[in-house]
Amino acid sequence: MSKDLQPTVDPTKMGLGRSIAVLTSGGDAQGMNAAVRATVRVGIYTGAKVYFVHEGYQGLVDGGENICLATWESVSMMLQLGGTVIGSARCKDFRTREGRMKAACNLVKLGITNLCVIGGDGSLTGANEFRTEWSGLLVDLVRAGKITEEEAKKSSHLNIVGIVGSIDNDFCGTDMTIGTDSALHRIIEVVDAITTTAQSHQRTFILEVMGRHCGYLALVTALACGADWVFIPEMPPDDGWENHLCRRLSDQRARGSRLNVIIVAEGAMCKDGKPITSDQIKKLVTDRLGFDTRTTVLGHVQRGGTPSAFDRILGSRMGVEAVMALLEATPDTPACVVTLSGNHAIRLPLMECVQVTKEVTAAMAQGRFDDAIKLRGKSFENNWNTYKLLAHINPPDAKSNINVAIMNIGAPCAGMNSAVRAAVRMGIIQGHSMLAVHEGFDGLAQGQIEPLTWTSVSGWTGKGGSMLGTKRTLPGKRLEEISQNIAKFNIHALVIIGGFEAYVGGLELVQAREKYEEMCIPIVVIPATVSNNVPGSDFSIGADTALNTITSTCDRIKQSAAGTKRRVFIVETMGGYCGYLATMAGLAAGADAAYIFEEKFDIKDLEANVEHMVEKMKTTVKRGLVLRNESCNSNYTTDFIFNLYSEEGKGIFDCRKNVLGHMQQGGTPTPFDRNFGTKMGAKAVLWLTDKLKECYRHGRIFANTADSACVLGMRKRALTFQPLAELKEDTDFEHRIPKTQWWLKIRPIMKILAKYDIKLDTFEHADMEHVIKKRSFLGK
């Protein structure tokens, strides 16, 4: 709980006697329904009354049936639906004082003084204006005889909390807005489909994506698919870009590439403000180069479809935080917006974020494009810098005489190849020679090592599994052969991409430095595993793809259960001893329970869960979904839990079980895993390059300090390098998991949304933070 809330406050009584209304406004975005569902259920959990406002601000103005009481069951089966179930509409009436007076009257009559608005910056600015003039509106309503003095007194203050829903990710102060990740899923599906046909015919494809004022979708798409060029409004191309673009496309063809991909944001423009259109680019490429060129404008496809697992979890977490922010607000608290920073849900003053968002537009209008990129935030700036490095620099003529080897260790996962591709290309840009080690540590011991070129990793971002080949074998028993091959192939640095075996293997190489001087080279481990169990990182490459696979499977299972009624599905997920997949999939799919190793449970807990399911079958929601992490308990197996539920549910519900197995490791990587892998691979090689300079002594490389062998991981809000040796203290080697895992703190959300009577005080709520004013570099 936040610091100003006393721990003695019972969260189930925080909302007693209070009413909350939730509305969605502006353009729809996948994941809005998850936020609505969480707001309703957590609001009810706190004892508050929660109201739907249908059709956005128009419903607020019109009142009547548009504002209706929400129930626990009325938000069931909403998670997997795109768009917004409660409707959204543009509203001219709310822009007038008369319209806002009607809206205020409707809220006062129902005793609603807490408003959760899910929408873009325009919708949230409107909410803040409404709040600011609230007391004046009440005075006018009393004067007009529409409300009584007593009603005005009871509703003297309006609390506003915003949640940003926008597929463009155009709101400053948050790393991601609801809907952005799902939109990227739609775009990448199209890119993958286009890539196969383009390669068949040696074509150039121009893909136009949404983003009138913000180039985030275009930029991340370009990173995730390895596009040849991207046009975004924040950074117009230099004068003479036409020549540069044609030269680049020709160079790619000369290197053996059978296709070119150009990504254009709909708001792309030249430095003089004139638009750059996909048709204009098509004419240029066709006339100058004679390439067979096609244009695809994606349009509203990007808004459609089912929300990704990320957006469901994001919407759910933001909905919970919004309710807490409303109930903790005082008349002196500024209207706030719930945003995401790294993996933390934080609260920011709404108008500070709106102000910075407006400053981006002003910077672009004034031609201060570097400032516009910075104002977009660290995440956007990192994406842009990584893209520039990987796409716009030709390999240098001068070589560094450094050989960097890359290998995959452990089970394969989607996104590994993106990391390899980025590492190889970044290494070549630095002037290094890049070496592929096939089949993990076995391959290193056997000398299965060969050079990698720029073109040999073309098209790897969209490929699942491991193109280098991977094995679980650890290096411990083959250190002699490994040291000989490090010397033979003159390897100066090592990139190890993989799961827990990669981490342990890296540790074994570090420990072997005392005996084998050849091991005294800089080493970096990049976590890549569906289990998300590598110490030193909150996320691993591959976990997001696996999570989406489980979530989409659970959607189908729930659909089946809803059709047959009174059916409970027991689903077993991967993860070893790590309960990340089971927990997050449980939150994304709306599971009733998720059994994991980290949270011990006994027969009493299982009986309580069965009893809970029996009670659920008395409601209109006659179906159940239970997830079980594969190694959560050696005695309470999937079969045991299935048999227990089947026996206890006789005559009330029947059971089915599914073991998802290796399908969780397969498939094409999600946009998140492609983008994450790309940034990790590039950053790892840049770090190695700096380390090599530090470790170069007397004509050779010698690295034997703890900080020359690190895990590169996402920690809270940044990518950080942590020495392998230091991470040993935070590792449970027996169960192959970190001792501290951030996601355990959000497990209570899943239980509350499944209507379990638990206390929310185990969950950390955010205090109000402030947007860092970036005026120092703007020279103001």
Side-chain angles (χ1 to χ4, degrees):
M1 289 262 168
S2 59
K3 297 180 188 82
D4 57 353
L5 192 70
Q6 298 303 316
T8 52
V9 173
D10 181 352
T12 60
K13 294 185 171 57
M14 281 174 69
L16 287 175
R18 302 174 73 175
S19 295
I20 299 168
V22 57
L23 66 87
T24 52
S25 175
D28 62 307
Q30 308 98 316
M32 278 182 163
N33 291 324
V36 170
R37 172 180 175 268
T39 305
V40 168
R41 289 195 168 176
V42 175
I44 292 170
Y45 163 84
T46 64
K49 280 185 179 177
V50 187
Y51 290 84
F52 289 137
V53 179
H54 291 280
E55 311 309 332
Y57 285 120
Q58 193 64 56
L60 207 59
V61 173
D62 295 345
E65 291 180 358
N66 288 301
I67 306 175
C68 60
L69 201 61
T71 66
W72 194 276
E73 290 155 49
S74 63
V75 292
S76 182
M77 288 301 270
M78 276 174 67
L79 261 178
Q80 66 271 35
L81 300 177
T84 163
V85 169
I86 59 174
S88 181
R90 306 285 177 197
C91 179
K92 288 181 182 174
D93 293 344
F94 194 74
R95 291 179 181 173
T96 66
R97 185 174 174 84
E98 188 186 351
R100 292 193 291 275
M101 269 184 72
K102 286 181 183 173
C105 185
N106 290 329
L107 291 179
V108 170
K109 289 294 182 187
L110 290 167
I112 299 167
T113 54
N114 298 284
L115 191 59
C116 175
V117 178
I118 305 166
D121 61 341
S123 305
L124 302 185
T125 304
N128 187 67
E129 188 179 348
F130 189 39
R131 175 184 181 269
T132 306
E133 63 180 13
W134 181 257
S135 55
L137 293 172
L138 296 193
V139 169
D140 289 355
L141 286 168
V142 170
R143 197 176 292 147
K146 298 280 177 67
I147 63 171
T148 65
E149 288 274 6
E150 194 174 331
E151 283 174 326
K153 196 175 177 184
K154 277 184 181 174
S155 301
S156 62
H157 178 70
L158 179 70
N159 293 321
I160 295 279
V161 169
I163 297 175
V164 194
S166 163
I167 68 164
D168 292 335
N169 203 29
D170 55 356
F171 191 82
C172 292
T174 186
D175 288 350
M176 287 290 266
T177 55
I178 292 172
T180 305
D181 188 66
S182 300
L184 286 168
H185 274 252
R186 298 297 91 77
I187 296 167
I188 292 298
E189 283 165 18
V190 173
V191 170
D192 286 348
I194 279 174
T195 301
T196 53
T197 181
Q199 280 178 325
S200 304
H201 297 276
Q202 293 199 53
R203 281 182 177 150
T204 295
F205 261 96
I206 301 161
L207 193 74
E208 184 182 301
V209 301
M210 281 185 168
R212 201 168 301 139
H213 307 293
C214 178
Y216 185 87
L217 289 178
L219 177 55
V220 174
T221 300
L223 260 182
C225 73
D228 297 294
W229 198 283
V230 65
F231 292 93
I232 59 170
E234 289 86 350
M235 188 54 76
D238 294 329
D239 295 337
W241 62 266
E242 296 90 344
N243 297 330
H244 188 178
L245 171 62
C246 290
R247 189 167 62 248
R248 176 153 186 79
L249 298 184
S250 298
D251 287 350
Q252 286 295 89
R253 288 290 171 96
R255 284 180 182 149
S257 175
R258 290 182 59 83
L259 84 155
N260 302 112
V261 178
I262 299 166
I263 309 292
V264 189
E266 61 180 329
M269 59 183 180
C270 297
K271 288 199 168 166
D272 59 6
K274 288 179 184 168
I276 296 174
T277 67
S278 43
D279 287 338
Q280 181 188 340
I281 301 163
K282 179 183 176 181
K283 188 174 186 315
L284 170 74
V285 175
T286 308
D287 292 353
R288 289 259 195 111
L289 301 174
F291 289 177
D292 188 3
T293 307
R294 297 286 189 274
T295 301
T296 302
V297 179
L298 283 187
H300 280 74
V301 166
Q302 295 155 89
R303 288 196 187 279
T306 187
S308 66
F310 183 94
D311 274 330
R312 298 181 198 198
I313 294 164
L314 181 63
S316 299
R317 292 181 70 186
M318 286 185 165
V320 174
E321 195 56 56
V323 171
M324 290 300 135
L326 284 170
L327 297 182
E328 291 173 21
T330 67
D332 303 322
T333 311
C336 82
V337 59
V338 179
T339 70
L340 184 77
S341 181
N343 61 25
H344 284 246
I346 62 170
R347 301 176 194 173
L348 295 172
L350 172 58
M351 293 319 291
E352 281 188 21
C353 295
V354 170
Q355 184 57 41
V356 178
T357 304
K358 285 178 179 172
E359 283 176 18
V360 178
T361 310
M364 284 156 62
Q366 293 162 16
R368 295 183 289 110
F369 299 111
D370 285 331
D371 291 347
I373 293 273
K374 285 190 171 73
L375 283 162
R376 278 275 178 237
K378 210 72 188 151
S379 173
F380 192 98
E381 192 180 359
N382 288 343
N383 284 329
W384 175 248
N385 290 336
T386 305
Y387 175 77
K388 273 196 309 183
L389 279 169
L390 289 172
H392 284 261
I393 295 176
N394 287 319
D397 295 327
K399 297 292 181 192
S400 65
N401 296 321
I402 292 292
N403 297 319
V404 179
I406 302 181
M407 61 202 302
N408 292 161
I409 308 295
C413 67
M416 272 183 164
N417 298 321
S418 297
V420 173
R421 172 190 171 275
V424 167
R425 292 198 166 176
M426 188 57 79
I428 292 169
I429 288 164
Q430 302 297 312
H432 308 327
S433 296
M434 305 304 289
L435 301 173
V437 179
H438 297 285
E439 310 301 335
F441 286 116
D442 280 353
L444 188 55
Q446 292 161 7
Q448 295 181 42
I449 301 165
E450 62 178 10
L452 281 167
T453 64
W454 187 275
T455 50
S456 62
V457 292
S458 291
W460 278 28
T461 50
K463 291 182 177 171
S466 165
M467 299 293 286
L468 294 181
T470 179
K471 284 191 175 176
R472 291 179 180 273
T473 319
L474 292 170
K477 293 176 182 174
R478 308 195 70 173
L479 290 169
E480 185 75 43
E481 298 150 275
I482 286 170
S483 66
Q484 287 169 2
N485 278 326
I486 288 174
K488 179 182 172 183
F489 289 90
N490 203 18
I491 294 168
H492 301 109
L494 189 59
V495 180
I496 306 172
I497 302 168
F500 200 82
E501 289 90 354
Y503 164 69
V504 175
L507 268 176
E508 289 184 3
L509 293 185
V510 171
Q511 285 156 3
R513 281 174 170 178
E514 291 176 18
K515 188 175 178 184
Y516 301 98
E517 207 173 283
E518 294 83 1
M519 308 289 185
C520 294
I521 56 172
I523 297 167
V524 63
V525 174
I526 299 177
T529 166
V530 302
S531 302
N532 197 31
N533 63 333
V534 179
S537 190
D538 294 343
F539 297 104
S540 293
I541 297 165
D544 186 68
T545 305
L547 188 53
N548 277 281
T549 301
I550 299 166
T551 304
S552 60
T553 307
C554 287
D555 285 350
R556 294 185 180 101
I557 286 170
K558 279 176 74 177
Q559 196 176 50
S560 163
T564 49
K565 304 280 193 236
R566 300 184 186 280
R567 180 164 285 174
V568 176
F569 277 87
I570 317 291
V571 178
E572 183 187 297
T573 69
M574 275 185 160
Y577 286 98
C578 179
Y580 176 82
L581 286 180
T583 297
M584 290 308 204
L587 190 52
D592 295 283
Y595 300 116
I596 63 168
F597 169 76
E598 292 92 342
E599 196 173 274
K600 304 302 180 196
F601 60 97
D602 56 25
I603 195 68
K604 288 178 184 171
D605 297 310
L606 290 169
E607 286 171 353
N609 294 156
V610 173
E611 187 56 41
H612 187 269
M613 199 68 75
V614 169
E615 289 302 309
K616 186 179 181 183
M617 294 299 160
K618 294 175 184 174
T619 71
T620 56
V621 188
K622 300 184 189 301
R623 63 173 188 282
L625 177 66
V626 175
L627 300 186
R628 178 189 175 275
N629 167 245
E630 60 184 350
S631 300
C632 64
N633 189 297
S634 56
N635 294 315
Y636 299 137
T637 62
T638 302
D639 285 337
F640 178 94
I641 292 172
F642 167 71
N643 290 334
L644 176 70
Y645 273 78
S646 298
E647 181 62 33
E648 297 298 319
K650 272 183 183 171
I652 302 161
F653 58 80
D654 65 347
C655 285
R656 297 287 185 276
K657 68 177 172 191
N658 287 68
V659 177
L660 299 184
H662 282 74
M663 64 183 286
Q664 294 158 85
Q665 287 179 348
T668 56
T670 58
F672 179 92
D673 279 331
R674 296 182 199 207
N675 187 16
F676 190 41
T678 300
K679 284 195 281 196
M680 296 277 269
K683 194 172 181 75
V685 171
L686 288 174
W687 179 82
L688 282 177
T689 304
D690 288 340
K691 274 290 162 212
L692 286 162
K693 287 171 189 167
E694 280 178 32
C695 302
Y696 187 78
R697 291 188 191 90
H698 311 301
R700 66 195 204 59
I701 305 295
F702 186 76
N704 67 344
T705 55
D707 66 357
S708 65
C710 287
V711 169
L712 168 58
M714 168 69 84
R715 278 294 206 198
K716 292 184 179 174
R717 302 179 186 184
L719 291 177
T720 55
F721 292 89
Q722 294 153 94
L724 282 158
E726 286 181 15
L727 289 168
K728 282 164 73 175
E729 289 178 22
D730 187 38
T731 307
D732 174 352
F733 285 97
E734 183 189 349
H735 298 107
R736 297 159 54 88
I737 53 173
K739 288 178 184 174
T740 51
Q741 300 184 91
W742 68 272
W743 50 267
L744 284 167
K745 291 173 184 170
I746 66 173
R747 268 183 72 80
I749 296 178
M750 185 193 72
K751 294 178 182 177
I752 287 165
L753 295 178
K755 211 173 183 178
Y756 279 91
D757 184 18
I758 67 155
K759 291 288 180 279
L760 196 62
D761 56 7
T762 52
F763 180 69
E764 288 189 344
H765 288 292
D767 290 309
M768 184 83 84
E769 298 188 17
H770 288 276
V771 182
I772 298 166
K773 291 296 178 189
K774 300 178 171 70
R775 290 189 170 79
S776 53
F777 69 74
L778 297 178
K780 292 182 182 175

